[in-house]
């Protein structure tokens, strides 16, 4: 016979951070928890930065009426020049004192609160003050998390300054990664938003009840082991890999991709740099040249501005009339939001030229699509390194960070041909897909991790 606390439903509130790269995994986690009979309250910072975020939210609440929405009205701050997504993170943090009355008023009372890692330093003290167990969803890789946990110690240390680009960073004698993979703001001597919050959040996250990761054990065994064995931090919070988060029902595309239906299986390369990375105009045009020269079929998501509301120029103005005409013969070019999952799951798609945002990596793994990595910013080189080591794809390291050089069309074409013609990569990617499905399937590592968490939360 089950006890009455087994019958009790856990009530979980979720608070995402700015941008689709953070919102999407939170929505997927909300859907996963709902499917497991957890009561979910989703807190939505208002207004959002991008139109896509507000559309994703309304689509989600229409599909999941059982999830309660609580709007969190952000207080205005003096405008500053930081990236609009970072600015939004600052807004959320500076409005965070409004969270305690909001959380305390929820009924039934909350079992736990799950917040984004970029908000950890502000949210954790608030939850501690009202004795509410706080978990953090880290929306990047476990490998990035080894850096997140160790960077507060590394920052400003001579050990880091003295290393050459290719030297390996060590923490407590454990090898972390070559310095060349680090997000550039973390190597700057001067203060910047990314570095400051990375230090503050990385420090405070150790006081959370646990960290959830959208990754899976067989994909990131080594990093997860390093963290959980106490090699990175002596007493780390419990870290549980519960991914990849399957896409949820509300993510259907408006766009009909009938063109894709007519293409041979595995023949199409999908090209996208995520929700917030716009390549420079000259690089966009070289990429177009490369796509044509590669001879491959492709679907190309062109992004000209960081924030979609400002992305108002016609596609033809961005890539030029002549290139536009030639590109159309071989592929599909889109400047609106495309549901990436709908593309990666299509039988015609066999490759993904990706910036390696972590959600994109997990989605490629989920669908078994090989990656040609072209990291641009932030955690993306760390993620590209994982992709290459596990055999999900390849990475041309000489292409550097965004804006460091202009990669020419001929070079891009050659790398696309190599990637699309690589039969062993195709097979490896399918093997990774199987592993990903096993991890979240009944009794798999991620499934078990989430089941154990939920049963613990019922007793909180
Ligand atoms: N995405 C999408 N359509 C687009 C661009 C992005 O559906 O046209 C989704 C993608 O599937 C992923 C998220 O937006 O879930 C982007 O997150 P990621 O971590 O890959 O990169 P970021 O945008 O944060 O750089
Ligand atoms: N990050 C963080 N705190 C911040 C900003 C960034 O922890 O305030 C970490 C986090 O791991 C994030 C990664 O840096 O996923 C890359 O950040 P970026 O802004 O480049 O991309 P995002 O993931 O936000 O799309």
């Amino acid at each position: 016979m089950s006890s009455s606390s087994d019958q009790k439903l856990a009530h979980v509130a979720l608070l995402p951070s700015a941008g689709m790269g953070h919102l999407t995994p939170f929505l997927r986690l909300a859907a996963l928890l709902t499917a497991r009979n957890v009561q979910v309250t989703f807190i939505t910072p208002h207004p959002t930065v991008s139109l896509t975020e507000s559309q994703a939210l309304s689509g989600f609440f229409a599909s999941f009426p059982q999830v309660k929405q609580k709007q969190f009205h952000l207080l205005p701050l003096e405008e500053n020049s930081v990236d609009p997504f970072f600015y939004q993170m600052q807004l959320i943090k500076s409005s965070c004192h409004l969270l305690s009355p909001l959380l305390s008023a929820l009924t039934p009372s909350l079992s736990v609160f799950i917040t984004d890692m970029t908000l950890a330093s502000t949210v954790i003290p608030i939850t501690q003050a009202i004795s509410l167990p706080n978990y953090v969803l880290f929306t990047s890789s476990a490998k990035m998390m080894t850096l997140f946990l160790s960077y507060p110690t590394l920052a400003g240390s001579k050990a880091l300054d003295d290393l050459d680009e290719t030297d390996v960073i060590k923490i407590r004698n454990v090898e972390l990664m070559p310095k060349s993979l680090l997000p550039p703001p973390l190597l700057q001597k001067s203060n910047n938003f990314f570095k400051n919050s990375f230090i503050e959040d990385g420090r405070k996250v150790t006081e959370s009840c646990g960290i959830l990761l959208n990754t899976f054990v067989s994909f990131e065994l080594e990093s997860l082991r390093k963290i959980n064995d106490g090699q990175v931090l002596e007493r780390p919070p419990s870290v549980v890999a519960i991914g990849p988060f399957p896409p949820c029902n509300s993510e259907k595309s408006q766009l009909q991709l009938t063109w894709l239906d007519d293409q041979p299986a595995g023949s199409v390369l999908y090209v996208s740099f995520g929700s917030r990375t716009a390549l420079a105009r000259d690089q966009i045009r070289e990429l177009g040249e490369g796509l044509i020269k590669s001879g491959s079929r492709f679907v190309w998501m062109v992004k000209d501005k960081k924030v979609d509301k400002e992305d108002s120029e016609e596609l033809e103005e961005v890539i030029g009339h002549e290139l536009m005409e030639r590109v159309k013969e071989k592929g599909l070019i889109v400047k609106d939001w495309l549901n990436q999952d709908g593309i990666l799951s299509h039988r015609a798609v066999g490759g993904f030229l990706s910036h390696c945002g972590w959600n994109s990596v997990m989605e490629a793994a989920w669908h078994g699509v090989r990656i040609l990595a072209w990291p641009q910013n932030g955690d993306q080189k760390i993620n590209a390194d994982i992709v290459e080591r596990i055999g999900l794809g390849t990475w041309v390291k000489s292409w550097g960070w965004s804006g460091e050089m202009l990669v020419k069309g001929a070079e891009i074409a050659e790398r696309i041909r190599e990637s699309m013609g690589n039969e062993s990569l195709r097979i490896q990617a399918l093997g990774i897909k199987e592993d990903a499905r096993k991890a979240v399937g009944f009794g798999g590592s991620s499934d078990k991790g989430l089941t154990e968490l939920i049963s613990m939360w019922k007793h909180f």
Side-chain angles (χ1 to χ4, degrees):
M1 225 170 68
S2 54
S3 70
S4 63
S5 62
D6 284 337
Q7 309 289 344
K8 193 186 128 195
L9 292 187
H11 181 195
V12 174
L14 301 172
L15 173 66
S17 182
M20 286 303 283
H22 296 265
L23 179 58
T24 303
F26 269 80
L27 292 177
R28 291 177 180 171
L29 177 59
L32 265 181
L33 293 174
T34 303
R36 288 166 178 253
N37 222 14
V38 172
Q39 199 172 332
V40 177
T41 297
F42 202 96
I43 300 174
T44 53
H46 182 82
T48 61
V49 182
S50 62
L51 194 59
T52 317
E53 287 165 274
S54 51
Q55 286 166 346
L57 285 167
S58 37
F60 179 82
F61 292 113
S63 299
F64 293 90
Q66 65 276 54
V67 175
K68 219 192 278 171
Q69 179 183 17
K70 272 275 161 207
Q71 272 207 353
F72 175 33
H73 292 273
L74 302 178
L75 301 172
L77 262 186
E78 209 173 291
E79 273 289 345
N80 58 29
S81 58
V82 298
D83 170 293
F85 294 95
F86 286 168
Y87 176 66
Q88 177 83 346
M89 289 173 194
Q90 287 180 343
L91 283 186
I92 301 174
K93 282 184 162 179
S94 64
S95 303
C96 260
H97 58 284
L98 302 175
L99 273 180
S100 22
L102 190 154
L103 296 172
S104 303
L106 293 176
T107 50
S109 59
L110 285 175
S111 322
V112 296
F113 185 38
I114 305 178
T115 186
D116 189 277
M117 75 277 197
T118 62
L119 309 173
S121 57
T122 318
V123 171
I124 289 173
I126 287 168
T127 50
Q128 282 169 339
I130 55 172
S131 304
L132 175 62
N134 185 302
Y135 283 76
V136 165
L137 172 60
F138 191 81
T139 60
S140 183
S141 51
K143 187 162 188 152
M144 180 68 176
M145 204 170 82
T146 61
L147 182 66
F148 188 62
L149 295 176
S150 46
Y151 188 75
T153 313
L154 284 169
S157 74
K158 256 195 89 29
L160 188 59
D161 292 346
D162 291 348
L163 295 179
D164 285 333
E165 267 281 283
T166 50
D167 287 347
V168 172
I169 297 173
K170 285 189 183 168
I171 175 103
R172 296 150 53 86
N173 281 329
V174 176
E175 293 198 348
L176 272 193
M177 58 189 73
K179 189 175 172 183
S180 59
L181 297 185
L182 253 62
L186 298 186
L187 292 174
Q188 280 173 20
K189 290 242 180 302
S190 56
N191 286 333
N192 59 70
F193 176 79
F194 190 110
K195 179 175 156 184
N196 294 348
S197 24
F198 206 72
I199 295 175
E200 287 164 13
D201 295 328
R203 222 174 248 149
K204 201 68 190 173
V205 84
T206 54
E207 293 175 31
S208 68
C209 299
I211 304 179
L212 316 179
L213 277 165
N214 180 20
T215 189
F216 54 111
V217 172
S218 63
F219 201 72
E220 286 204 87
L221 192 59
E222 201 191 321
S223 298
L224 288 166
R225 196 180 279 151
K226 269 186 197 159
I227 298 167
N228 283 326
D229 286 356
Q231 296 182 47
V232 179
L233 281 185
E234 228 164 285
R235 275 181 297 279
S238 92
V239 169
V240 193
I242 56 171
F245 296 157
C248 55
N249 285 342
S250 58
E251 295 177 30
K252 300 274 174 288
S253 218
Q254 305 297 324
L255 212 70
Q256 293 299 310
L257 293 173
T258 45
W259 178 85
L260 261 186
D261 297 340
D262 298 332
Q263 310 308 314
S267 69
V268 174
L269 176 76
Y270 167 56
V271 183
S272 170
F273 293 85
S275 66
R276 50 178 291 192
T277 302
L279 299 184
R281 283 282 175 91
D282 53 355
Q283 189 61 80
I284 291 180
R285 291 183 184 196
E286 288 295 336
L287 173 56
E289 288 292 344
L291 288 168
I292 296 166
K293 285 202 181 97
S294 74
S296 181
R297 297 173 176 82
F298 55 85
V299 174
W300 179 18
M301 218 287 281
V302 176
K303 209 169 154 48
D304 188 45
K305 298 271 161 40
K306 216 177 237 185
V307 181
D308 54 10
K309 291 172 192 163
E310 293 156 17
D311 213 335
S312 54
E313 295 210 49
E314 292 298 320
L315 185 53
E316 196 165 313
E317 285 175 77
V318 178
I319 67 169
H321 175 73
E322 190 252 347
L323 184 60
M324 178 96 178
E325 290 305 306
R326 287 159 57 217
V327 158
K328 276 199 300 207
E329 287 164 24
K330 255 334 232 193
L332 198 66
I333 340 170
V334 182
K335 204 163 152 287
D336 300 316
W337 182 261
L338 272 184
N339 170 25
Q340 181 163 299
D341 177 69
I343 299 176
L344 290 175
S345 63
H346 199 288
R347 49 166 268 295
V349 174
F352 183 9
L353 175 55
S354 169
H355 71 316
C356 290
W358 189 246
N359 296 288
S360 292
V361 172
M362 279 298 102
E363 288 159 16
W366 181 251
H367 292 295
V369 176
R370 85 198 83 165
I371 288 181
L372 172 55
W374 191 353
Q376 303 286 319
N377 297 298
D379 55 348
Q380 295 155 18
K381 279 195 182 177
I382 292 176
N383 301 343
D385 182 61
I386 301 168
V387 164
E388 191 174 63
R389 283 168 191 269
I390 200 83
L392 180 61
T394 48
W395 169 25
V396 194
K397 298 184 184 64
S398 60
W399 289 358
W401 290 110
S402 168
E404 269 183 352
M405 63 180 290
L406 180 65
V407 184
K408 292 294 198 179
E411 158 89 0
I412 298 170
E414 188 165 339
R415 299 310 186 148
I416 293 175
R417 277 195 295 270
E418 273 170 20
S419 172
M420 292 303 276
N422 188 331
E423 183 59 11
S424 40
L425 262 190
R426 187 184 71 81
I427 294 166
Q428 278 163 212
L430 289 176
I432 290 169
K433 171 180 171 175
E434 251 178 61
D435 294 343
R437 309 273 166 148
K438 259 190 218 148
V440 300
F442 184 70
S445 56
S446 296
D447 173 63
K448 274 198 206 149
L450 188 57
T451 305
E452 281 164 18
L453 281 168
I454 295 172
S455 58
M456 187 163 68
W457 294 343
K458 282 189 201 167
H459 297 91
F460 280 1

